[in-house]
Amino acid sequence: MSLVKRGTVYGTRMNFRGELDALGAQVNEAPYKAAPQAPVLYVKPANTWTENGGTIALPAHVAEVEVGATVAMVMRSAREIEGFVLMNDVSIPHDSFYRPPVKYNALDGFLGIGDRVRARNEAGDPAVFKLEVRVNGELKQTVRFSQLVRPADKLLADVGEFMTLQPGDMLMLGTDAGRPRVRAGDRVEIKMPALGTLTNLFVAEAA
């Protein structure tokens, strides 16, 4: 394992079949009129980053947030993966999937990041990754990466068609439907044996 060397962090929308299925007919409505033909990406800027074990503050006007348990590829070069790291992609619940405003997913602290990168040859095949998400010790979601629309290598190749990733950049594989919602006072644990456990405590924003 190695420490996380952070470049730009990119999230991926609609890369789980369950997430696409949950949208139903909405994917065929204007202005898009079809499921995405290329990866749909967004940025989690540095102000969102929270360490493993750190607290994530909910703004006063936000009663609950969604927990987006996922794994990110950490890049060694534009096309070479150094390894994988756990992430908790937090967002305010919203209905906009194609172009979600940054006010929903780029708030301060809204990305929990694991503290270690597991090398690809140690982590195993990402197609069989499985995460368990626990809230206050209770299992709330199991995320199976066999359900990806674009598996890790395909996602990386497709992203490389229109942009160049830099060493240290991190590309999330996506978050599945059924994301748990949490409130201030809840403790979230995202666990996978090969990648360890990412823990964050949600708190109310200080007055």
Side-chain angles (χ1 to χ4, degrees), residues 119-199:
R120 182 165 190 171
N121 63 339
E122 297 174 346
D125 183 358
V128 298
F129 284 178
K130 183 175 73 172
L131 305 182
E132 291 185 346
V133 185
R134 286 182 165 81
V135 178
N136 302 324
E138 181 179 353
L139 181 63
K140 291 292 186 179
Q141 185 186 31
T142 301
V143 182
R144 294 178 172 83
F145 288 81
S146 60
Q147 299 303 305
L148 289 175
V149 176
R150 289 179 174 86
D153 288 336
K154 174 64 172 171
L155 176 63
L156 182 57
D158 287 353
V159 168
E161 291 294 319
F162 60 85
M163 63 182 288
T164 301
L165 296 171
Q166 302 297 318
D169 285 352
M170 290 177 275
L171 177 61
M172 289 186 261
L173 299 179
T175 58
D176 203 357
R179 294 181 284 272
R181 294 190 179 188
V182 300
R183 294 173 173 263
D186 289 337
R187 181 179 297 275
V188 173
E189 295 176 317
I190 298 171
K191 184 176 183 178
M192 175 181 152
L195 299 181
T197 302
L198 169 60
T199 302

Side-chain angles (χ1 to χ4, degrees), residues 2-20:
S2 63
L3 294 172
V4 177
K5 300 175 183 178
R6 295 175 190 164
T8 303
V9 180
Y10 299 94
T12 306
R13 290 283 183 215
M14 293 175 286
N15 197 35
F16 273 88
R17 296 187 183 96
E19 189 179 27
L20 272 178

Side-chain angles (χ1 to χ4, degrees), residues 38-67:
V40 179
L41 304 183
Y42 55 98
V43 174
K44 298 288 282 199
N47 69 291
T48 67
W49 301 348
T50 296
E51 305 295 333
N52 183 21
T55 58
I56 298 176
L58 275 62
H61 68 283
V62 176
E64 60 183 11
V65 294
E66 286 185 343
V67 169

Side-chain angles (χ1 to χ4, degrees), residues 84-130:
F84 299 93
V85 64
L86 292 174
M87 288 196 171
N88 182 0
D89 185 5
V90 180
S91 64
I92 298 174
H94 58 275
D95 295 325
S96 178
F97 289 91
Y98 286 96
R99 293 179 182 174
V102 294
K103 66 180 181 180
Y104 293 139
N105 63 16
L107 283 75
D108 291 351
F110 268 36
L111 181 67
I113 304 179
D115 51 11
R116 294 282 175 173
V117 177
R118 177 72 70 174
R120 182 165 190 171
N121 63 339
E122 297 174 346
D125 183 358
V128 298
F129 284 178
K130 183 175 73 172

